Amino acid sequence: MNPSPVLLRNYIAGEFVTTKTTFANISPVDGTLIGHVCEADADLVDRAVRAGKAAQQGPWGQYSAAQRAQLLHKIADGIERRFDEFVAAEVADTGRPVHQARTLDIARGVANFRTFAELINQAGNECFEMRAADGSDVFSFSVRKPHGVVAIISPWNLPMLLLTWKVAPAMACGNSVVIKPSEDTPSTATLLAEVMHEAGVPEGAFNLVHGFGPNSAGEYLTKHPDIDAITFTGESRTGATIMKVAAEGVRDVSFELGGKNAAVVFADCDFDAAVAGVIRSSFTNSGQVCLCSERVYVERPIFDRFVAALKQAAENLKIGYPDEDGVNMGSLISHKHRDKVMAYFDLARDEGAEVVTGGGIPNFGDERDRGAYVQPTIWTGLPDDARCVREEIFGPVCHIAPFDTEEEVIRRVNDSAYGLATAVWTRDLRRAHSITRKFHVGMVWVNTWFLRDLRTPFGGVRLSGIGREGGRHSLDFYSEITTICMHP
């Protein structure tokens, strides 16, 4: 029996706020109602921004870096105490397997707060000494200050992971934040607001508004004149719209946008590891990760063998309930998104694709048939200029094509409007060192995928985004850096 629907509220200036206008939160697993979400109007968003601005003049603005770090650890403790609640909320919203939510999504949420707590404690500033013309010693040094109020707009595909990836460094640097999670995944953001409240976060330092994009909370937030910086993860088209708005106030922006990522498999690879790696990079979270490999290039001597092995591995993936033993794939995020993915499946056939496996909707014979499931799908035979090879699909699908030379595969990988990530599978480290520098992307993996040291920079080029976050790069984005030149 499904639990009673819950009401998810906004959180502003230390208080949970109910609104008359609500929208439904629907389970992608079986189409049932999870709860109702209070939608923030323009006045409520304005109240949230003003609360963030006031917090900069209040107790939150007086916190030292050490005090902020201590608070971030306390927030991480709060998430850990309610770990199972966060897992249940993430699974209910997304339909992803429970084991993924436990080991990746919520675990990374905790790690994000702890990592940036440590980083802000250890962050140093530059100091230079020079001799002036009059013979006196002059000292120039830099200091970090918060921007003020940061708007954080997070996506539905990895809700807790990507939200905390931005909230943690923004607050570590002393900013107030106003967050707007995706309307499809409001639950863990609301739980995080509860943890913030329990941890004693000063009023206005953390604010949550629920809603949609255009003519709703997202637009009201990004257009607000008192927002000092905007960070967004989501579709490239939405990012371009936000950038135009941000340009009016010349506000700092950091965007992690879409991708049409490639995996490159050389004949000298560890074959079994490469097959397992490409299965993971193509079908994790039902392909709904901006870093997933939708284009796979395999060196011709092993192409047929690799296609056959990948087909077998894809057909062995278990699709089912999130809490089912051994389940590998859950549902897509919504029926609307499934319709988009299925439209690409139809387009691929029209463009001449050979469907190696999948290409349809699974039939369960139970309530899951009301969910948003799609079969893991593999194509071959499309030309490089096919729309299904060039456009981001964001579903459990990849297209496999053969290649003959390094120069050829480099050209084909780079022939994209996107530039987020590439994965390379080879035993030749000399080749790996050479080829990885030639891809026009923000990140390259060699013989692995989705492995991240949170201290390293992350981001994309071209339609995949602007800016870098991670480690000191996050501290730089979420800080205003002032140089002070001191003459005796």
Side-chain angles (χ1 to χ4, degrees):
M1 186 174 72
N2 289 325
S4 300
V6 298
L7 180 67
L8 301 180
R9 298 176 292 170
N10 301 278
Y11 182 73
I12 297 168
E15 295 180 350
F16 287 92
V17 180
T18 303
T19 60
K20 292 181 180 179
T21 303
T22 63
F23 57 92
N25 185 21
I26 303 297
S27 167
V29 175
D30 57 14
T32 57
L33 178 69
I34 300 172
H36 300 280
V37 187
C38 293
E39 183 178 0
D41 60 14
D43 288 341
L44 199 56
V45 171
D46 176 64
R47 182 176 157 190
V49 176
R50 286 189 287 108
K53 191 172 182 179
Q56 293 294 305
Q57 307 305 317
W60 176 240
Q62 305 305 311
Y63 270 45
S64 67
Q67 288 174 309
R68 296 195 297 268
Q70 185 178 27
L71 183 60
L72 262 59
H73 278 300
K74 193 173 181 180
I75 294 165
D77 292 341
I79 298 171
E80 287 182 325
R81 279 194 301 271
R82 303 180 63 176
F83 197 90
D84 289 340
E85 290 179 69
F86 275 93
V87 169
E90 195 85 334
V91 169
D93 278 359
T94 64
R96 65 169 42 92
V98 169
H99 68 82
Q100 180 189 315
R102 294 192 67 86
T103 59
L104 175 62
D105 301 88
I106 310 306
R108 261 290 300 274
V110 173
N112 285 337
F113 280 105
R114 297 214 187 281
T115 295
F116 287 105
E118 294 301 322
L119 283 170
I120 199 64
N121 256 337
Q122 299 168 9
N125 292 313
E126 293 178 314
C127 181
F128 298 96
E129 179 182 355
M130 61 178 272
R131 183 66 52 85
D134 63 3
S136 61
D137 291 325
V138 177
F139 295 89
S140 297
F141 58 93
S142 62
V143 295
R144 294 182 183 276
K145 299 178 294 184
H147 287 290
V149 185
V150 176
I152 297 175
I153 302 178
S154 59
W156 49 256
N157 61 323
L158 299 169
M160 184 66 171
L161 188 160
L162 293 173
L163 175 61
T164 56
W165 175 243
K166 297 177 181 297
V167 170
M171 294 183 67
C173 292
N175 297 284
S176 304
V177 299
V178 182
I179 70 168
K180 198 221 66 90
S182 168
E183 61 272 18
D184 289 317
T185 53
S187 300
T188 46
T190 308
L191 273 180
L192 182 59
E194 293 179 13
V195 168
M196 294 281 177
H197 193 80
E198 294 162 358
V201 171
E203 292 182 8
F206 175 92
N207 304 276
L208 162 67
V209 292
H210 288 296
F212 302 86
N215 301 310
S216 187
E219 181 176 340
Y220 306 146
L221 183 58
T222 55
K223 285 186 174 180
H224 199 288
D226 287 330
I227 288 296
D228 299 294
I230 303 170
T231 178
F232 167 77
T233 298
E235 292 184 356
S236 301
R237 183 172 50 188
T238 305
T241 300
I242 295 174
M243 183 176 286
K244 292 175 184 177
V245 172
E248 293 179 7
V250 197
R251 292 172 289 176
D252 283 352
V253 295
S254 178
F255 293 157
E256 196 267 282
L257 307 176
K260 190 68 176 180
N261 309 299
V264 178
V265 182
F266 285 96
D268 67 351
C269 69
D270 180 326
F271 187 87
D272 291 340
V275 170
V278 172
I279 280 289
R280 183 167 171 255
S281 70
S282 296
F283 302 119
T284 290
N285 200 32
S286 299
Q288 300 170 123
V289 180
C290 56
L291 298 163
C292 277
S293 307
E294 292 190 7
R295 297 183 292 153
V296 181
Y297 299 99
V298 180
E299 199 166 10
R300 196 175 298 275
I302 63 167
F303 178 76
D304 291 338
R305 180 187 171 205
F306 193 89
V307 171
L310 204 69
K311 175 180 185 293
Q312 184 64 52
E315 292 174 351
N316 286 340
L317 293 174
K318 183 176 181 180
I319 312 171
Y321 288 110
D323 58 353
E324 210 173 331
D325 287 341
V327 69
N328 303 109
M329 270 182 50
S331 66
L332 298 187
I333 189 63
S334 66
H335 288 86
K336 178 182 178 181
H337 186 59
R338 185 176 71 176
D339 289 345
K340 172 196 169 185
V341 171
M342 292 306 299
Y344 273 106
F345 285 9
D346 293 339
L347 175 63
R349 292 186 180 93
D350 292 343
E351 291 184 316
E354 176 188 341
V355 181
V356 176
T357 188
I361 296 172
N363 180 28
F364 298 101
D366 55 35
E367 61 268 22
R368 286 172 294 178
D369 290 333
R370 298 193 298 269
Y373 290 88
V374 169
Q375 293 173 333
T377 298
I378 300 171
W379 300 320
T380 60
L382 288 174
D384 286 354
D385 61 355
R387 283 181 58 195
C388 287
V389 178
R390 303 195 70 80
E391 298 176 14
E392 183 182 36
I393 298 169
F394 218 61
V397 62
C398 66
H399 176 264
I400 315 179
F403 73 90
D404 294 297
T405 67
E406 284 186 25
E407 293 74 17
E408 173 200 346
V409 78
I410 292 168
R411 175 184 54 78
R412 294 171 74 184
V413 168
N414 289 337
D415 182 20
S416 173
Y418 296 94
L420 187 55
T422 298
V424 177
W425 298 88
T426 179
R427 284 192 172 102
D428 187 339
L429 290 184
R430 180 178 298 178
R431 167 191 283 150
H433 277 291
S434 171
I435 197 171
T436 50
R437 298 169 184 266
K438 298 174 182 177
F439 295 126
H440 300 323
V441 295
M443 186 163 193
V444 183
W445 282 286
V446 178
N447 298 328
T448 188
W449 178 78
F450 212 62
L451 186 60
R452 287 281 322 284
D453 185 320
L454 302 186
R455 298 168 295 183
T456 59
F458 177 78
V461 301
R462 293 178 290 202
L463 286 184
S464 289
I466 182 171
R468 294 292 182 272
E469 295 186 32
R472 69 172 182 83
H473 303 274
S474 285
L475 301 186
D476 288 346
F477 172 71
Y478 291 106
S479 298
E480 183 178 282
I481 300 175
T482 298
T483 297
I484 300 171
C485 180
M486 191 168 291
H487 188 281

